[in-house]
Amino acid sequence: MATPRVFLVRHGETEWSLSGKHTGRTDIPLTANGERRVKATGQALVGDDRLIVPKQLANIYVSPRKRAQRTFELLNLGITDPLPWKVHGSKLPDAGHICNARVEVTEDIREWDYGDYEGITTPEIREIRTKQGMTQTWDIWRDGCVGGESPDEVTQRVDRLINEIREKWHGPVIGKAKSEELPPGDVLIVAHGHILRAFAMRWIGKTLQDGPAFLLEAGGVGTLR
């Protein structure tokens, strides 16, 4: 029986991910090492006999941020149609893959809006909050971000995307007998650390306040069924 999957890909390493700075709206590029590692991930995990089979992808959602879009480019999936953005770097050699999935940029999977906490680290945020008289240790999953998004606001947009995936892409194939006529059902999402963990929690029915059960390092790949 067909069991379609959702692949979660966190963008590759940036200078701010290295230093632990919260990077939401700020649009910064991957480091050279980040690009190399994502290329290696694509070579290892993409192919007809690999984890991500390009011809089995029904739709691809990518964050509006260029670090996520460049990460997608470096996976080298063999997309047949033009990308919905101006390519951010040199084109990779043809890997021999063919992928007919639609590539879609959506605000629903952009990173958490960190508001006043943009560009600073967790210890710095906790120090600021202590000076403001907030004695409880800061937890983004419970407290959200001053001047940015709350957990409820993030939940609303990831839930919207989850509903679309389940109805539009998984619904037509889930539980059906595998056959040549069955349309592709896998979905790929390329985005950011906090929003992808929020997506995963909501996918399995947990609230954001429950806290994440997994980490996704820069350039990491996760799978949901």
Side-chain angles (χ1 to χ4, degrees), residues 106-112 141 149 151-166 189 191 194-203 206 208:
T106 174
E107 290 284 339
D108 284 345
I109 205 64
R110 62 173 166 78
E111 182 58 296
W112 198 307
W141 308 107
E149 285 182 298
D152 286 345
E153 288 170 325
V154 170
T155 296
Q156 288 174 15
R157 58 184 173 95
V158 296
D159 280 1
R160 183 165 55 236
L161 184 58
I162 286 170
N163 290 337
E164 178 175 319
I165 291 169
R166 286 180 165 155
I189 300 175
H194 274 120
I195 200 67
L196 288 175
R197 283 183 282 169
F199 181 97
M201 283 189 281
R202 295 302 298 149
W203 183 267
K206 293 181 65 178
L208 268 59

Side-chain angles (χ1 to χ4, degrees), residues 7-224:
F7 299 109
L8 308 180
V9 181
R10 184 181 172 189
H11 68 75
E13 176 190 275
T14 68
E15 292 293 344
W16 280 19
S17 70
L18 271 176
S19 61
K21 292 180 179 179
H22 287 76
T23 320
R25 302 181 304 272
T26 308
D27 218 1
I28 59 177
L30 303 183
T31 62
N33 183 55
E35 291 216 359
R36 284 193 298 271
R37 292 181 66 182
V38 173
K39 285 180 188 177
T41 295
Q43 292 166 359
L45 298 184
V46 174
D48 288 345
D49 59 347
R50 308 295 172 87
L51 177 67
I52 301 172
V53 180
K55 65 184 179 183
Q56 291 299 327
L57 290 172
N59 206 65
I60 297 166
Y61 297 96
V62 184
S63 161
R65 303 294 174 251
K66 65 184 179 184
R67 58 191 181 274
Q69 294 173 2
R70 182 56 178 159
T71 296
F72 171 77
E73 294 169 11
L74 293 167
L75 291 174
N76 205 13
L77 291 169
I79 295 296
T80 54
D81 292 333
L83 295 176
W85 62 78
K86 184 178 178 181
V87 176
H88 298 296
S90 58
K91 188 176 180 180
L92 274 63
D94 186 357
H97 310 311
I98 296 178
C99 183
N100 295 315
R102 177 170 173 257
V103 180
E104 179 179 348
V105 175
T106 174
E107 290 284 339
D108 284 345
I109 205 64
R110 62 173 166 78
E111 182 58 296
W112 198 307
D113 185 342
Y114 298 122
D116 296 354
Y117 303 152
E118 180 78 7
I120 57 178
T121 65
T122 295
E124 290 171 330
I125 293 168
R126 288 174 175 164
E127 182 179 352
I128 290 169
R129 289 172 67 89
T130 297
K131 289 178 180 178
Q132 294 172 339
M134 303 178 193
T135 56
Q136 191 175 31
T137 300
W138 178 66
D139 181 346
I140 192 171
W141 308 107
R142 180 191 64 224
D143 305 321
C145 299
V146 176
E149 285 182 298
S150 69
D152 286 345
E153 288 170 325
V154 170
T155 296
Q156 288 174 15
R157 58 184 173 95
V158 296
D159 280 1
R160 183 165 55 236
L161 184 58
I162 286 170
N163 290 337
E164 178 175 319
I165 291 169
R166 286 180 165 155
E167 292 174 10
K168 194 171 183 179
W169 307 115
H170 283 187
V173 299
I174 195 165
K176 305 285 180 64
K178 292 183 180 180
S179 70
E180 292 296 326
E181 292 76 30
L182 201 64
D186 289 344
V187 170
L188 179 75
I189 300 175
V190 186
H192 314 269
H194 274 120
I195 200 67
L196 288 175
R197 283 183 282 169
F199 181 97
M201 283 189 281
R202 295 302 298 149
W203 183 267
I204 62 173
K206 293 181 65 178
T207 69
L208 268 59
Q209 289 81 3
D210 290 330
F214 76 104
L215 296 175
L216 196 61
E217 66 177 10
V221 178
T223 307
L224 297 171

